[in-house]
Structures are given as structure tokens and as C-alpha cells.
Amino acid sequence: MRKRSLPVNRRLARGLAILHEDQDILVVDKPAGLLTVGTDSDKSRTAYFILTDYVRKGSARSRSRVFVVHRLDRETSGVLVFAKSEEAKLRLQGQWEETEKTYLAVVHGKCKRRAETITTYLAENKAHVVYSTSDPARGKLSHTAYRVLRQTKDFALLEVDLLTGRKNQIRVHLAGIGHPIVGDKKYGKGGQSHTRLALHARTISFQHPSAASGSSFPQKCPATSASWLAA
């Protein structure tokens, strides 16, 4: 049975925009400043809250809901995927290591290398700060690849491929090589006047869960994969 694709670029609350919707998934463009899901210390309106309300169509009695597949940091904008069923969520997460995720980042400084893959073990301390370590017993092996798209005297625009998906990975890795992301108050330069973090999840490409289960999928993408771009 073919999956019905609904109109794209539908604007919801707080600047959240739907890029794609079908019976299995919701792909959205998350603005900077919006949490993916709530935390113990912050239970404000989130992307999860807004999309749950959307699929319930305003009915508090509805049992419809969305399922979190992955997350973006609050200050990171860009493409974010939710599932409409637990089965679709598990199928997407089961192939997550093969899912391609590309970001854009503006960083401080002049990059000596036009392209590089950063590899460290990442760990998190009690203050919830992620850091690099050479000790495999303390952290998880993490890889981040980047290439320079444009370079000025003081800044560089990078295309970043997230090869593993650790918390704050891109921010920690780029700061660790001396090129913190512009506007990063946690891992970057202190006293910055920039209003937001210059990190954007630009594209994501994965096998659609219906293709994985043997059903057809109408998106015109090679190898039954689906790709989405957030402007």
C-alpha cells in the first residue's frame, strides 16, 4: 500500500515547520531556541509537545502521539525526524549508524586544513559538560568529518558530516581543534555577542521505515532512501 504524503512547509507554533509527513514519519525544520523534548529542569513547549498537539488535532482525548527518533540541541536549528508509531521509531533507530547527517557550521579562526576527520573518545562530567579524552574506558569513540566551504580572515563556513551521534559532538570536536562554533556559550569563546549558535542540521538521508518493512514508498529517491533538506 502506498503511503500518502501530505503538503510540505506547513508552519506550526514557535517557528516549527513540517518538511514532510506521511503515515509513518514527520520531518520538521526546528528553529534555534526550541527544545526537542522537555528536561527535568525545563518543561516548556517543545517540538515534541507541538507535534503531539498537531497529530491530535486539538483533541485532548486522542491517543495519537509522535515518537522521538533523535534530538537536536536547543540552540541547533534544522532537520529533525519523528516517528508516528513505535514500530517506525525502532526501524529508524535500528539503521541510525547508516543514516547520513550533514550540518553547516560557522566557526572562529582560519582553518589550516581544508578537510579533516576528528576522532576522539567523548565523555561527560557531573556538570553535564562533554569533553574529549584519549582513554577508551572513559568515553565513547566519536568521529566528525568537516570540509571548508568558505574562509575569511576571522571565520570559516564548514560542511560537517556527523559520523557518530554523541551529545554535543560537533561542538566539542570543533572547539577541541581550536575552531569553536560562533555563538557557542558552552564550549566556545566567552563574552560573545552573537545571538545564536551558528550550527544548522542541513540534510538527513535514511531508508524509509516502510521500505524496510517491504512496503512501497512514493518518494523519488534512489535505493528506497529518503532525503530531506532544511534551508
Side-chain angles (χ1 to χ4, degrees), residues 4-150:
R4 185 169 60 93
S5 179
L6 301 180
V8 299
N9 293 327
R10 187 178 304 178
R11 294 280 173 177
L12 302 180
R14 297 193 63 180
L16 190 70
I18 296 176
L19 300 175
H20 171 87
E21 180 182 6
D22 60 40
Q23 294 177 5
D24 294 309
I25 59 174
L26 271 164
V27 185
V28 300
D29 187 359
K30 185 188 83 68
L34 182 66
L35 281 167
T36 301
V37 295
T39 65
D40 291 338
S41 59
D42 191 341
K43 301 190 181 295
S44 60
R45 286 173 65 88
T46 63
Y48 174 82
F49 180 96
I50 294 168
L51 290 173
T52 297
D53 184 65
Y54 166 74
V55 297
R56 288 179 175 174
K57 298 178 172 58
S59 174
R61 295 183 178 182
S62 172
R63 298 174 64 89
S64 298
R65 55 169 294 192
V66 294
F67 295 79
V68 178
V69 176
H70 66 122
R71 306 183 188 195
L72 293 177
D73 292 343
R74 180 180 210 153
E75 296 308 320
T76 301
S77 60
V79 64
L80 184 62
V81 181
F82 288 83
K84 285 187 169 181
S85 69
E86 187 169 11
E87 180 183 6
K89 169 190 171 179
L90 294 175
R91 288 186 183 278
L92 289 168
Q93 291 182 335
Q95 57 163 311
W96 205 246
E97 289 187 3
E98 292 77 42
T99 297
E100 298 177 5
K101 301 168 285 291
T102 302
Y103 290 70
L104 294 177
V106 179
V107 301
H108 289 277
K110 192 169 184 178
C111 297
K112 294 180 180 179
R113 299 184 180 182
R114 299 297 298 179
E116 181 181 7
T117 297
I118 307 166
T119 298
T120 70
Y121 294 92
L122 292 181
E124 185 175 2
N125 63 25
K126 293 181 180 180
H128 305 296
V129 175
V130 179
Y131 63 95
S132 288
T133 175
S134 59
D135 185 354
R138 297 175 60 188
K140 295 180 179 180
L141 187 61
S142 306
H143 308 282
T144 303
Y146 75 85
R147 67 184 182 96
V148 179
L149 298 180
R150 185 176 180 185

